[in-house]
Amino acid sequence: MPELPEVETTRRGIAPHLEGRRVTEVRAHNRRLRWPVPRAIGTPLVGQRLRGIRRRAKYLLLEFERGTLILHLGMSGSLRILDCDSPRGPHDHLELCFEGNRMLRLTDPRRFGAALWTTGEPSRHRLLASLGPEPLGPDFDGEHLYRKARGRRTAIKNLIMDSHVVVGVGNIYASEALFLAGIHPARAAGRISRERLQRLAEAIRTVLGRAIEAGGTTLQDFTRADGQPGYFAQELNVYGRENAPCPACATPIRRIVLGQRSTWYCPACQR
Ligand SMILES: [Zn+2]
């Protein structure tokens, strides 16, 4: 599933090719995505200039002159920049042609992605209105985590994966950040000191920032027709490493299930 770093990298990969250009044609080949793509999605779009592409959580916000196209990549979606007449494959569901023969194509084999048009303020759209702060933005820090954790018995890993608390902390990044902060993933959130939550907030920013940095090497891939965007090669300390030695102390990594998700941690380093 594309995680926040992949979505941010997608934004950086496609934006320079499209910003400032007008839409010339919209082709919705398959409208059955997670929510139906509106039948007339092209009507408000054609002729409009794309002012910019922003990201909020894992949503891409394509801001046009008179509204915003909200895109989500779901479980398996990806975006590419191609020529408008590029041959289409069976999983290419939505295509936006821009002046200059640039096409934005949404490919999504599992069709959990979404494409929705709104003329309102996107931050108040029902999908975005209740989201917590961006992990790399100015509103997320240890104080924020501390306020959200106070009095909560929920496992800290589940708390940081809750998009009302902070967005974009997927399973990989939650496990890795807890390792960096030395916090046991099942520890009750409300019983962790402010100082340790400060370290955790910094660790979340570190692991996501590193992943986005790693994605920078793939930016040219967005204009290639072949291949799928990969997950960024990054050094994982605990994620997926059951029984392997902890990189810090060589104790075998353990796997437990929290919130129905596999979770890996070092029983010696994480308390
Ligand atoms: Zn260890």
Side-chain angles (χ1 to χ4, degrees):
M1 186 186 318
E3 296 287 349
L4 185 145
E6 283 83 11
V7 178
E8 175 59 24
T9 299
T10 298
R11 188 189 71 75
R12 294 179 185 185
I14 64 174
H17 302 282
L18 303 179
E19 283 176 354
R21 293 176 193 265
R22 284 183 197 281
V23 176
T24 55
E25 190 186 358
V26 176
R27 307 175 201 141
H29 301 291
N30 186 342
R31 302 189 304 108
R32 289 173 300 136
L33 299 184
R34 178 162 181 193
W35 297 290
V37 176
R39 189 175 297 278
I41 187 136
T43 309
L45 278 168
V46 170
Q48 282 206 60
R49 194 183 295 283
L50 179 66
R51 293 209 297 218
I53 305 181
R54 286 196 301 131
R55 180 189 56 74
R56 177 71 174 107
K58 296 203 289 180
Y59 294 94
L60 287 171
L61 309 177
L62 280 65
E63 298 181 324
F64 290 90
E65 293 162 311
R66 294 188 298 277
T68 304
L69 183 65
I70 302 176
L71 294 179
H72 195 280
L73 301 177
M75 308 284 287
S76 60
S78 61
L79 293 168
R80 278 289 172 286
I81 304 293
L82 301 161
D83 291 346
C84 287
D85 56 358
S86 297
R88 187 168 72 87
H91 305 301
D92 299 333
H93 304 313
L94 183 65
E95 297 176 331
L96 271 65
C97 279
F98 290 78
E99 52 192 6
N101 194 26
R102 300 286 170 87
M103 173 174 70
L104 176 68
R105 173 183 279 169
L106 171 66
T107 304
D108 187 358
R110 295 182 63 186
R111 293 193 283 109
F112 280 104
L116 299 166
W117 174 253
T118 178
T119 53
E121 164 56 38
S123 63
R124 286 202 285 271
H125 190 275
R126 64 185 166 81
L127 294 174
L128 308 181
S130 67
L131 294 175
E134 288 289 322
L136 298 169
D139 300 331
F140 177 71
D141 57 15
E143 270 310 303
H144 171 78
L145 263 190
Y146 180 69
R147 283 194 303 273
K148 293 292 180 184
R150 270 166 75 178
R152 299 282 300 273
R153 283 191 213 164
T154 182
I156 184 64
K157 177 165 179 265
N158 294 344
L159 186 87
I160 60 175
M161 289 183 69
D162 178 349
S163 65
H164 299 100
V165 173
V166 56
V167 300
V169 184
N171 203 26
I172 298 175
Y173 304 109
S175 292
E176 292 294 313
L178 286 162
F179 174 78
L180 286 188
I183 297 172
H184 192 294
R187 177 167 286 274
R191 299 197 55 193
I192 303 173
S193 72
R194 194 185 233 132
E195 291 68 31
R196 298 183 80 205
L197 290 172
Q198 188 67 50
R199 276 207 293 282
L200 179 56
E202 282 162 20
I204 288 170
R205 294 169 75 105
T206 298
V207 294
L208 288 169
R210 275 186 199 153
I212 291 170
E213 219 169 89
T217 60
T218 69
L219 289 183
Q220 71 284 358
D221 296 351
F222 287 92
T223 52
R224 291 200 331 219
D226 56 326
Q228 286 290 307
Y231 280 85
F232 309 140
Q234 50 185 316
E235 247 164 70
L236 297 174
N237 289 303
V238 290
Y239 183 86
R241 298 189 68 240
E242 187 173 9
N243 294 325
C246 165
C249 73
T251 302
I253 300 295
R254 270 190 209 157
R255 185 182 75 91
I256 52 173
V257 175
L258 276 179
Q260 285 124 46
R261 306 295 299 274
S262 280
T263 300
W264 291 268
Y265 70 101
C266 171
C269 293
Q270 294 176 252
R271 301 282 168 165

